[in-house]
Each structure stands twice: as structure tokens, then as C-alpha cells.
Amino acid sequence: MRSRDADRFNHDPWADDYDRKVRDETNPIRAGYAAVLAWTVEQARIGPDSVVLDLGVGTGNTVALIPRARRVVGVDVSTRMLAQAPAKLSHLLHVELLEADLLEVFDRDLPVFDAVVSTYSVHHLDDTEKAELFRRVHGALRPGGRAVFGDLMFESEAARSEIAAAWSDEDRARVIKSLDEEHPWRVDHAVRHLESAGLQVLEARRFSVLSWGISAEKPDPGAL
Ligand SMILES: C[S@@+](CC[C@H](N)C(=O)[O-])C[C@H]1O[C@@H](n2cnc3c(N)ncnc32)[C@H](O)[C@@H]1O
């Protein structure tokens, strides 16, 4: 199953400028970016023997923070974003970059993962697709493996309304309008969908008005 808006959100047109833009954390969309990426990698508990999947790897900024791993698979639809990743990942021995859709990739022959990470990509899936992604992530993880997401999120629908009301000036109202054209997470819905998929939510943490992280673990019935 390919996600509905994969072509619309393919970042080919923005790839050349992407890394410069994410460094500007005065932009409310970017505020918290560096901290979210660092937290995502830290929460994923990646060690030298870990097999890791990055969903929406883009130019490789999250994978670049992984000090070592046995194998990393990065997935993205954008040829031009992926083209920038290898230069940042030379410290990792075994990296595969797959040009594929976030959902469709699970129909491929993938290894079992110790950790699945994703930053600022899953808001390109609608809520039904997010729920499907969580089921696919659960299926791809080993028991005890971690799934960690950093992205643009509102705590709830009520929180979105409060922020939209407070951000009534022209610039920030435009931010809310453009976000509404994508699929920013609702933390409360996502926690329910993650739990329904069989993942145990460990933490939901806010990094800025719009940036959050959610970490989860696939329960290991064999663990003490
Ligand atoms: C905002 S960028 C985030 C990139 C990187 N993870 C980061 O944090 O800098 C979102 C990425 O998701 C990719 N993307 C969007 N929709 C996708 C889909 N359906 N399947 C695969 N990749 C997708 C885009 O091409 C883009 O590279």
C-alpha cells in the first residue's frame, strides 16, 4: 500500500535548501529540530549490533547522529534528498538507502529491526495511514525493540485550537494554515494508535510549540 500523498510531499523540490533551512530554529516549524533529532537517537538505544530503520531519512541528519550500528536502512521517496545522505554517513559501515514510500517499503523483504526512528516525516501520512504505519513498525521490530518518532504535533485537538487562537498574527496564522494542509500528529490520538498496534508508549515529550517526540517499545514477553 502506497501512502496517498507520497508524490505531493516528495521533497525533491526543496532538497537543495533543506539543510540550511532546518538550521533556522527561529522559524516555528523548525524550533526544536536539533534537540528532537538528538532525543530520537538517544531514546532508540542504538548499539554497535543494532539494525536500524529510519523512515523518511531525507538528507540523513538523524542517521548522522547514530555513532555506530550493525546496519542502517534509510527510506525516502525523494531522490534528491537521499543523494545528500551518503556524505554524512561515512562513519557507519553498512547503510542502505531505499527510494520507497513509507508504507510500501514494508512490502519489501526487510530485516527484523532493533530500532525504528523517524523525524519530521510521518506528518506526511494521514491518520489512517499513521495507524497502518504503527502496525507495520510493530511487525518489523524485534520484541524489546524501540520505535521513536520526532515530528510536528499538537497535544490534542483542543491544544491545536488554543495555539491557532494565540497565533492570530499574519505570519504565525500562515504557519498554522500550512500545517493544516499536512497531517500534524495529535499526541493523544497517536498514543492510542501506537498502543492499539501493540507498542507500549514510554514517553511523549514536547521540545517547542510544534515539535514533539514519542518513544515506544515492542513488549518482550520473554523479558524478566
Ligand atoms: C521534513 S523531511 C525530514 C527528513 C529527515 N528525517 C529530517 O529530520 O531532517 C520529510 C522527508 O519525508 C519524505 N517523505 C514524505 N512523504 C513520504 C512518503 N510517503 N514516503 C517516503 N518518504 C516520504 C520527504 O521526501 C522528505 O525527505
Side-chain angles (χ1 to χ4, degrees):
M1 169 188 173
R2 185 174 169 82
S3 64
R4 189 166 51 101
D5 289 330
D7 295 333
R8 179 154 80 102
F9 295 126
N10 179 323
H11 273 41
D12 274 349
W14 307 290
D16 288 347
D17 236 10
Y18 182 80
D19 280 348
R20 188 182 59 78
K21 287 206 161 149
V22 290
R23 281 195 290 273
D24 175 15
E25 296 209 14
T26 62
N27 177 342
I29 293 282
R30 308 296 181 197
Y33 177 83
V36 164
L37 266 56
W39 180 86
T40 298
V41 169
E42 184 249 314
Q43 286 284 305
R45 288 200 308 200
I46 296 163
D49 291 329
S50 299
V51 180
V52 184
L53 174 64
D54 184 342
L55 293 167
V57 63
T59 63
N61 291 338
T62 301
V63 175
L65 300 177
I66 299 173
R68 62 209 174 285
R70 178 148 62 91
R71 180 174 174 190
V72 178
V73 179
V75 177
D76 205 288
V77 276
S78 166
T79 318
R80 290 168 61 85
M81 293 287 274
L82 287 174
Q84 296 180 44
K88 297 175 192 165
L89 309 180
S90 56
H91 63 291
L92 294 167
L93 288 179
H94 192 166
V95 178
E96 289 145 77
L97 297 172
L98 304 180
E99 194 175 314
D101 174 70
L102 293 179
L103 290 175
E104 213 168 37
V105 73
F106 289 99
D107 297 332
R108 298 194 186 185
D109 189 16
L110 295 174
V112 173
F113 293 101
D114 300 293
V116 176
V117 295
S118 181
T119 54
Y120 296 97
S121 297
V122 175
H123 72 277
H124 296 309
L125 304 184
D126 68 25
D127 279 1
T128 307
E129 291 170 333
K130 286 188 191 74
E132 174 64 13
L133 183 82
F134 299 154
R135 283 192 287 275
R136 294 301 198 116
V137 166
H138 175 270
L141 276 173
R142 71 159 167 82
R146 290 256 172 121
V148 189
F149 303 94
D151 211 335
L152 300 166
M153 307 188 190
F154 295 107
E155 187 165 21
S156 61
E157 200 49 46
R160 195 215 74 89
S161 301
E162 277 171 32
I163 293 166
W167 284 16
S168 55
D169 56 288
E170 198 180 324
D171 284 352
R172 289 185 304 170
R174 201 178 304 121
V175 169
I176 297 291
K177 186 170 178 292
S178 71
L179 259 184
D180 283 345
E181 287 163 9
E182 304 195 9
H183 311 290
W185 304 46
R186 298 328 187 236
V187 174
D188 55 353
H189 287 189
V191 166
R192 279 203 298 279
H193 285 309
L194 285 160
E195 304 264 15
S196 306
L199 293 160
Q200 183 193 352
V201 173
L202 303 172
E203 188 180 354
R205 183 187 287 210
R206 189 177 193 169
F207 290 87
S208 68
V209 175
L210 300 175
S211 276
W212 286 72
I214 300 182
S215 60
E217 191 166 279
K218 178 167 174 170
D220 180 359
L224 290 176

